[in-house]
Amino acid sequence: MDYNARASQQFRSQSQTSRGAGQGRPKQDDSDAFMRLSDLEIAGCISDIGVPFSREDLLKPQPQQIQKVFEWFAELLMNITRETVEPAMRAAAEDVCKEHMDIIPPDTRNLMGFYASLKKLLVECGINDFSFSDLLRPTHDRLVRIFSYIINFVRFRETQTATIDEHFNKIETTKSRIDTLYIENQDMEARLDEMRRERKMMESQAKEKMKRNDELKAKLLELTKGQAKVAERMEKAKSEKERLTGILEEKTEKCIAIRQDSEKLRPYAQQSSTALQANLTELSESLARDKSLTEALEKRTRALQTSADTFGVVTNDVASCIKVLEEVSIELQKEDEENLDAAKQRDALSERGNNVREVERTEALLQRQLARWLERTETLRKGSNEKADGAKKRMEELRSVHKKLTEERGDKGREMERRRVRIEQTEKKMADLKENIETEIHDAHDEYLKMDSHIKLYITEMEQAI
């Protein structure tokens, strides 16, 4: 996506002011001399990375082409292009301008966002005076200096690929470990919720079964009491039946004995009429007594038959009660089995509670590991800050030495020529050291920011999960 120069007329005055300030800026120190590359080398490097570029393009730069080259470098080193910054810039424009978003064209808006990101990159590369005019009105000297620093930074970055990959792999390992622990935590929480739901369901079922058990026990108690009463009544009826049966047998024996006696007395009755009359009278009286006794015995017999029938009915009722009692005993056995199952489920719930406590202990261990990582990160940050301070002090000392050497340059002349190679080597080592230190600081800072963001994200998700 090329930048449209006509859509940036409102920024012309700003770019001209920046260009005027750049012309009035003093010349760069001679310490930049060893960093500068030749035009052919710069054009060859840019062409090698996949962007068609020649020495004439560097001598007569075109804003659109130079913006493409900068955009490629930004995408290579920071994974940033004008397309990636477009959503953020559009959101900012909607927030600031609201209904008047057309005041700033989209191309200009995206170029401003890309310029802010590119400036951060060039500051890390050592270009502290990068301005918006370098994108709109690039010049040969400025482009040579900027491209030289960027290419040297890319070369240094390629030499430190192993270190960068090592730190990146460490970060990815830590991130994957955090993701794994988060997924495990989510699984544990899901299992815990499921166990709680099962526990509630089992508790409700246990309550219903206990209620039903209490009802069955009350019913069984009532039936037991009824059975005791029926058994008592049955015992009384049996004893009464036995007593009446004994009386009937006794009366029957007496009747048989009387008949036998009458048969024995029959011959004597035929001897005289008076005697027979007397015997007849006695026998009539005895017969009347026997009839009345027989009638009484028949009444008792019918009463006993009625009692026996009643006893049969009571016996059937008792048999049905016994059957009901057997069914109740079966239900009680089932209830005992269900109680055993409930006890087993309570044991399972207690075991799952132990698993939950184990998860909580694991979470506490992860919190301690997280604290240790935070301490290590803080130590690395302090170390990087100390290294940066030391590097700045060293740079100040080397710059002061270089300034003295340049002041003595006119006086010493030929001696300066002999020592020039040595000074260039020293400056090159100094620049390498600076680049190494700045790269280490940048990598450590990026690693710290990534670790900090991952840790904060993990803490936030853990808090939300809890």
Side-chain angles (χ1 to χ4, degrees), residues 279-399:
N279 289 332
L280 181 61
T281 303
E282 291 177 358
L283 288 173
S284 296
E285 293 175 357
S286 177
L287 181 60
R289 288 195 300 268
D290 290 338
K291 284 182 179 180
S292 63
L293 182 60
T294 302
E295 290 177 357
L297 289 174
E298 287 178 356
K299 290 179 181 180
R300 296 295 297 273
T301 302
R302 287 193 295 271
L304 288 174
Q305 185 65 34
T306 304
S307 298
D309 295 337
T310 304
F311 291 155
V313 175
V314 171
T315 303
N316 294 329
D317 292 338
V318 171
S320 63
C321 291
I322 292 171
K323 187 176 180 181
V324 172
L325 288 175
E326 290 177 353
E327 292 177 355
V328 170
S329 63
I330 293 171
E331 289 293 332
L332 288 175
Q333 290 178 358
K334 291 181 180 179
E335 188 67 24
D336 293 334
E337 292 177 357
E338 291 178 355
N339 290 331
L340 291 175
D341 293 337
K344 290 181 181 179
Q345 291 176 355
R346 283 195 295 271
D347 295 336
L349 281 176
S350 62
E351 184 178 357
R352 292 182 180 179
N354 294 330
N355 293 333
V356 171
R357 287 190 291 273
E358 183 66 24
V359 171
E360 291 176 353
R361 287 195 294 271
T362 305
E363 183 179 359
L365 179 60
L366 292 175
Q367 290 290 343
R368 289 195 294 272
Q369 291 180 357
L370 180 61
R372 287 198 296 272
W373 278 106
L374 289 174
E375 292 177 358
R376 291 182 61 185
T377 305
E378 185 66 21
T379 304
L380 289 173
R381 186 178 64 81
K382 290 181 180 179
S384 62
N385 291 333
E386 291 176 356
K387 288 182 180 180
D389 295 336
K392 288 181 180 179
K393 292 179 181 179
R394 181 63 178 167
M395 283 297 298
E396 292 296 332
E397 293 176 358
L398 293 174
R399 284 177 179 174

Side-chain angles (χ1 to χ4, degrees), residues 192-253:
L192 179 59
D193 294 336
E194 184 178 359
M195 289 164 62
R196 287 174 178 171
R197 289 194 296 270
E198 291 179 356
R199 181 178 180 181
K200 290 181 180 179
M201 292 175 62
M202 292 172 66
E203 287 178 353
S204 62
Q205 292 177 0
K207 289 180 180 178
E208 292 178 357
K209 290 181 179 179
M210 290 295 290
K211 185 178 179 181
R212 183 182 176 188
N213 190 15
D214 293 337
E215 293 176 355
L216 290 174
K217 285 181 179 179
K219 186 176 180 180
L220 178 61
L221 185 60
E222 293 176 358
L223 290 174
T224 304
K225 292 179 180 179
Q227 183 183 8
K229 292 179 180 180
V230 170
E232 185 179 358
R233 289 175 60 189
M234 187 173 181
E235 290 295 332
K236 290 181 181 180
K238 285 181 179 180
S239 62
E240 184 68 19
K241 181 180 179 182
E242 290 176 357
R243 187 178 65 81
L244 294 175
T245 303
I247 293 171
L248 180 62
E249 290 176 354
E250 184 180 355
K251 296 294 183 180
T252 303
E253 289 176 356

Side-chain angles (χ1 to χ4, degrees), residues 358-449:
E358 183 66 24
V359 171
E360 291 176 353
R361 287 195 294 271
T362 305
E363 183 179 359
L365 179 60
L366 292 175
Q367 290 290 343
R368 289 195 294 272
Q369 291 180 357
L370 180 61
R372 287 198 296 272
W373 278 106
L374 289 174
E375 292 177 358
R376 291 182 61 185
T377 305
E378 185 66 21
T379 304
L380 289 173
R381 186 178 64 81
K382 290 181 180 179
S384 62
N385 291 333
E386 291 176 356
K387 288 182 180 180
D389 295 336
K392 288 181 180 179
K393 292 179 181 179
R394 181 63 178 167
M395 283 297 298
E396 292 296 332
E397 293 176 358
L398 293 174
R399 284 177 179 174
S400 61
V401 172
H402 182 265
K403 186 175 181 180
K404 291 180 181 179
L405 291 174
T406 52
E407 290 176 354
E408 295 175 357
R409 180 179 178 182
D411 298 332
K412 293 186 177 181
R414 294 179 182 179
E415 185 178 359
M416 184 62 187
E417 293 294 330
R418 290 193 301 269
R419 297 182 180 178
R420 182 177 179 180
V421 177
R422 187 181 301 172
I423 293 171
E424 290 177 354
Q425 293 177 353
T426 303
E427 290 176 347
K428 187 173 182 180
K429 290 179 180 179
M430 178 185 66
D432 292 337
L433 178 62
K434 177 183 176 182
E435 290 178 357
N436 290 334
I437 293 171
E438 290 179 350
T439 305
E440 289 178 359
I441 293 171
H442 181 67
D443 294 339
H445 183 65
D446 291 342
E447 183 180 1
Y448 168 74
L449 291 178

Side-chain angles (χ1 to χ4, degrees), residues 268-284:
Y268 299 100
Q270 295 175 359
Q271 292 178 0
S272 63
S273 59
T274 57
L276 290 173
Q277 187 67 34
N279 289 332
L280 181 61
T281 303
E282 291 177 358
L283 288 173
S284 296

Side-chain angles (χ1 to χ4, degrees), residues 42-89:
I42 293 172
C45 292
I46 295 174
S47 298
D48 291 339
I49 61 179
V51 179
F53 200 80
S54 62
R55 186 169 180 271
E56 288 73 14
D57 296 331
L58 188 61
L59 293 174
K60 296 179 180 180
Q62 297 294 327
Q64 289 80 6
Q65 187 176 15
I66 299 303
Q67 290 168 17
K68 285 184 178 180
V69 175
F70 279 127
E71 187 172 356
W72 190 93
F73 278 119
E75 183 177 5
L76 175 65
L77 299 174
M78 299 177 67
N79 198 21
I80 292 176
T81 61
R82 276 182 278 190
E83 286 78 6
T84 58
V85 300
E86 181 179 1
M89 296 302 294

